[in-house]
Amino acid sequence: MKISSYQMFWLVNISSIIVMSYLPIHLALEQSRQDGWISILLGALIMMAITWVTLRVCKQNKDKTLITFITDLLGTMLGKILVTVYFLLWFMQMVMIVKGMAEFQNLVMLHNTPMIVILLCMMFLVAYAVYKEGITAISRCAEIIGPFLTFMFYTQLFLNPQDMDVKRILPIYADSGWLHILEGTLYSFNYMVDPSILLMLFFFAENQQTAARAILWGTATSLLWGVLATLVLLFVTGPHIAVHLVVPIYSLTKYISILQFVQNIDAFFIPLWLLGAFIKLSVCLFILSYGLSEWTGFKNWKLIACLITFVWLAYVIYSTYHIRISYTFKSLILNGVLYPFVYLVIPLILWMVGSIRKGRKASSFE
């Protein structure tokens, strides 16, 4: 299974922009109000740096997946423990996204539809795509969906200029101060993109040199959209309304009205958002099932994907869920310790160990 750099761009772009559209903006606005765009901008710069570090690790171990090279570099026992942390992270991301997707559909479209029906439909579609062709099918879907989704998400930001007022983000910094701005960054940047998926996806790239550039561009495109979306949201609604919106970007589409003719574009936004969520969930399920296959030595990763889907469904059904899910993700341990450890500390350790080993090999040949 190999994917082109073009497909890699859309996989990363869609996966990032879907997560970016739901949780980070809301978390940043809660802490820094009209300076939420500064929090998002700082978080975007941090995530670009983390993505670059992750790609350095991937290039050092370009012929191996995460499960293989982490055990080679850190030893079997420690490597398998750290890989388990990544598995739990990807699984919890799947739970968070599918819950958000189901609640979103139930809120805006299918008011009287039981939640279990929405979950079953989406999970069956995700499991079928992964079981049928794995990352090949997912990447082909991404390269078709991606251009429409990105064009729609960027276009919607500029369809209501008559409602925008730059003064709504004023005064800059004075009301919030750096403490609240940095708090907004701390709570939001961990949910902007997920660079850890690259540690598995990079192995499947056809041309890994061009794939690295595609990943950086895909990440940058989604993060730029997040900064612009936060600014436009503040221009249109102001901080006091924006902070109370459950799904801020969807709510932004409801304000669009050009000459009372271009209206209700949420009819285009909703299906594209759901297709994007399908891509993100499929990527997570694939890397989790393929990783578990390598971790356990059981080669039938498709069967593992089916088993994970049943566990995933059971966990979602029986876990506690609140409509304002942002409050669940405000733990300082989660945001200040776990995510930085998984996203930055482990890749830095792997990069350092890999560089030392590479230097020793080079010196031994001299």
Side-chain angles (χ1 to χ4, degrees):
M1 293 180 291
K2 291 295 181 180
I3 54 180
S4 67
S5 299
Y6 180 73
Q7 292 171 331
M8 183 72 80
F9 171 85
W10 290 117
L11 282 174
V12 173
N13 178 266
I14 295 173
S15 298
S16 302
I17 209 169
I18 287 301
V19 179
M20 190 79 187
S21 67
Y22 194 76
L23 192 59
I25 296 175
H26 185 82
L27 291 172
L29 292 175
E30 278 190 331
Q31 300 300 319
S32 47
R33 302 290 173 162
Q34 70 265 25
D35 293 317
W37 67 275
I38 303 178
S39 297
I40 294 294
L41 178 60
L42 292 175
L45 295 174
I46 293 172
M47 293 313 293
M48 281 300 298
I50 292 175
T51 302
W52 183 83
V53 171
T54 304
L55 285 174
R56 301 303 299 176
V57 176
C58 293
K59 286 184 176 181
Q60 281 184 344
N61 307 275
K62 55 186 177 181
D63 298 324
K64 303 173 184 176
T65 61
L66 169 66
I67 288 76
T68 305
F69 70 70
I70 198 172
T71 52
D72 288 345
L73 294 174
L74 302 180
T76 303
M77 183 64 68
L78 180 59
K80 287 200 170 187
I81 292 173
L82 293 179
V83 165
T84 306
V85 176
Y86 281 104
F87 289 159
L88 292 174
L89 174 67
W90 295 334
F91 183 78
M92 293 310 298
Q93 281 189 353
M94 290 163 57
V95 171
M96 179 187 75
I97 294 167
V98 83
K99 281 182 175 182
M101 179 277 304
E103 188 66 30
F104 177 72
Q105 280 190 284
N106 197 255
L107 182 67
V108 302
M109 290 175 60
L110 310 173
H111 305 292
N112 298 318
T113 304
M115 194 73 71
I116 184 65
V117 175
I118 301 174
L119 291 172
L120 283 173
C121 291
M122 177 57 85
M123 288 184 174
F124 173 80
L125 185 62
V126 170
Y128 178 78
V130 173
Y131 184 85
K132 193 66 178 176
E133 293 291 340
I135 196 62
T136 304
I138 302 167
S139 60
R140 287 174 180 171
C141 292
E143 67 178 329
I144 296 173
I145 297 168
F148 294 102
L149 183 144
T150 304
F151 176 78
M152 176 66 195
F153 273 46
Y154 268 94
T155 301
Q156 70 157 4
L157 300 180
F158 306 100
L159 290 182
N160 48 358
Q162 70 280 359
D163 295 326
M164 294 185 190
D165 185 356
V166 179
K167 294 180 180 179
R168 291 193 174 109
I169 68 168
L170 300 177
I172 296 174
Y173 172 74
D175 287 350
S176 302
W178 281 115
L179 180 60
H180 290 290
I181 291 173
L182 293 176
E183 282 182 352
T185 301
L186 175 65
Y187 285 123
S188 62
F189 87 96
N190 295 301
Y191 303 104
M192 291 180 182
V193 298
D194 180 13
S196 66
I197 65 174
L198 305 178
L199 296 169
M200 285 294 294
L201 282 182
F202 198 77
F203 171 77
F204 299 97
E206 281 181 346
N207 187 328
Q208 295 184 338
Q209 187 63 37
T210 57
R213 292 196 295 268
I215 288 168
L216 287 173
W217 278 108
T219 305
T221 304
S222 59
L223 292 173
L224 175 62
W225 176 85
V227 176
L228 293 175
T230 308
L231 278 170
V232 171
L233 182 67
L234 290 170
F235 289 160
V236 173
T237 66
H240 301 294
I241 296 177
V243 75
H244 294 293
L245 298 175
V246 178
V247 188
I249 301 305
Y250 168 73
S251 302
L252 190 61
T253 64
K254 306 296 288 184
Y255 284 88
I256 295 173
S257 177
I258 301 177
L259 300 176
Q260 295 186 346
F261 178 72
V262 179
Q263 295 177 323
N264 301 321
I265 70 163
D266 53 307
F268 299 97
F269 175 87
I270 293 171
L272 286 172
W273 196 92
L274 294 176
L275 288 170
F278 156 71
I279 296 295
K280 172 64 176 176
L281 291 170
S282 299
V283 169
C284 288
L285 180 59
F286 171 76
I287 62 174
L288 180 57
S289 56
Y290 196 92
L292 277 171
S293 174
E294 287 193 313
W295 190 73
T296 59
F298 184 72
K299 295 184 178 181
N300 192 345
W301 60 268
K302 292 185 177 182
L303 177 60
I304 293 176
C306 296
L307 295 175
I308 291 173
T309 304
F310 286 112
V311 176
W312 179 24
L313 177 62
Y315 185 88
V316 171
I317 291 174
Y318 291 105
S319 63
T320 304
Y321 179 71
H322 301 281
I323 190 170
R324 298 295 297 275
I325 68 168
S326 58
Y327 290 110
T328 309
F329 300 96
K330 285 187 176 180
S331 168
L332 282 175
I333 296 177
L334 200 64
N335 291 288
V337 179
L338 178 62
Y339 282 125
F341 179 72
V342 173
Y343 288 156
L344 183 59
V345 176
I346 295 178
L348 279 174
I349 292 173
L350 295 174
W351 186 22
M352 291 171 59
V353 173
S355 299
I356 292 171
R357 286 195 177 184
K358 188 176 180 180
R360 287 179 178 176
K361 286 182 180 179
S363 61
S364 64
F365 284 115
E366 293 178 356

